[in-house]
Amino acid sequence: MLLSFHVNRCYNEIQSAGSEFLTRNIQRKEYGEGQFMKRVITVQDAVAMIPEGATIMIGGFMGCGNTHGILDALARSGKRGFTVICNDGAMLQGPDGSECYGVAKLIRNRQIKRLIATHVGLNPEVAQQMNEGTLQVDLLPQGSFVEMIRAGGAGLGGVLTPTGFSTIVEDSEFVHSVVDVDGKSYLLMRPLHADVALISGYEVDHYGNIWYKGTTRNFNQVMAMAADLVIVEADNLVEAGTIKPENVMTPGIVVDFIVDGGEAL
């Protein structure tokens, strides 16, 4: 009991001190104005950073949480040969009235050579290109998919899961091996990592800290940890201190550049 009391007291004091330090330095406008504040770039700058043939993680679910401004510009760029890691192929006839919604624009333009996803049924052009042999599609169980990304971000060698054992998933190149643990069989799934992650945040401050609104959080949060270059498109670019420390979902330390979504034209 005495040890538990001291541990809890120590933790609370550290937490309190950390919160005070963060708040104090956010209020000091001079703190971090060169070293910690992230560079705000245009969508054209973002596209210029993405080479042809790159492996790109794109957050979103059915286009909800996609980086629409960056993807529009990337679709116009004509760059191709991408390997895209995304939950799905988004959809045609988007809720915004667009003919192709989010990542579906890249599929329509045949800029993707390989799609690693969990379901693609809402975009018939994925199946069409797959049957033509022009698009390689790798389908993974959704839970395994997100944990593989998490493993890639954490530097782990993989993730153990019983999902997919004795199914066609077992034949996937993403399965390292079958592992027996206490008499139960698991698939050791390889980690997923990308050259670039395109992340969408509802509120993003100038330090790159992100708050996601509702279900737009989806795969964005884990993907921000699993790429060499992380670009976040902000629905709302806000001043430092606007997002309370306890509401930061992705810390700015993992973000490299910010695109102001309000200026993403």
Side-chain angles (χ1 to χ4, degrees):
M1 289 291 292
L2 183 60
L3 177 60
S4 176
F5 170 77
H6 284 299
V7 169
N8 288 332
R9 179 180 177 184
C10 181
Y11 173 79
N12 290 334
E13 288 178 354
I14 291 173
Q15 189 179 46
S16 176
S19 179
E20 289 176 6
F21 173 82
L22 180 59
T23 302
R24 184 172 64 250
N25 284 293
I26 283 175
Q27 290 171 345
R28 291 175 53 205
K29 293 181 68 67
E30 73 273 17
Y31 179 78
E33 278 193 356
Q35 186 176 0
F36 294 103
M37 293 188 77
K38 305 298 177 179
R39 180 182 168 197
V40 179
I41 61 174
T42 65
V43 289
Q44 291 77 19
D45 293 330
V47 168
M49 294 178 182
I50 304 172
E52 289 201 344
T55 297
I56 311 172
M57 285 185 178
I58 302 174
F61 189 101
M62 295 169 49
C64 175
N66 278 176
T67 51
H68 293 286
I70 297 175
L71 291 178
D72 286 350
L74 190 58
R76 293 192 299 266
S77 75
K79 291 184 177 181
R80 59 189 61 248
F82 300 121
T83 294
V84 168
I85 302 172
C86 187
N87 180 66
D88 50 67
M91 65 175 77
L92 307 181
Q93 306 302 322
D96 60 352
S98 61
E99 187 175 351
C100 295
Y101 192 53
V103 74
K105 294 181 175 69
L106 303 184
I107 295 169
R108 167 68 61 87
N109 290 351
R110 298 176 181 266
Q111 292 171 271
I112 301 174
K113 69 175 183 180
R114 185 178 189 183
L115 177 64
I116 302 170
T118 74
H119 72 90
V120 293
L122 293 174
N123 187 343
E125 294 186 0
V126 174
Q128 176 188 338
Q129 293 180 31
M130 181 175 65
N131 291 333
E132 291 172 354
T134 58
L135 175 64
Q136 178 181 343
V137 178
D138 298 276
L139 291 177
L140 293 166
Q142 192 171 87
S144 301
F145 175 79
V146 71
E147 288 302 319
M148 291 161 69
I149 296 170
R150 195 187 314 278
L156 301 179
V159 58
L160 284 177
T161 175
T163 304
F165 176 69
S166 292
T167 72
I168 58 173
V169 174
E170 193 173 326
D171 300 324
S172 169
E173 68 179 77
F174 295 103
V175 177
H176 178 274
S177 57
V178 177
V179 179
D180 182 277
V181 180
D182 295 331
K184 184 172 182 178
S185 296
Y186 295 83
L187 300 183
L188 177 57
M189 309 298 293
R190 301 178 188 273
L192 289 174
H193 193 273
D195 301 315
V196 182
L198 301 179
I199 306 302
S200 174
Y202 184 76
E203 284 188 348
V204 182
D205 69 23
H206 287 276
Y207 293 95
N209 297 308
I210 305 173
W211 180 74
Y212 306 102
K213 183 177 182 179
T215 57
T216 62
R217 181 175 184 172
N218 50 62
F219 300 91
N220 280 294
Q221 188 175 29
V222 290
M223 288 181 173
M225 301 291 292
D228 296 330
L229 175 66
V230 178
I231 303 173
V232 59
E233 181 174 303
D235 291 347
N236 298 280
L237 185 59
V238 299
E239 293 300 321
T242 302
I243 306 172
K244 293 181 179 180
E246 63 269 25
N247 291 337
V248 171
M249 296 175 177
T250 293
I253 192 68
V254 303
V255 173
D256 296 297
F257 296 98
I258 301 169
V259 169
D260 186 348
E263 304 294 332
L265 302 176

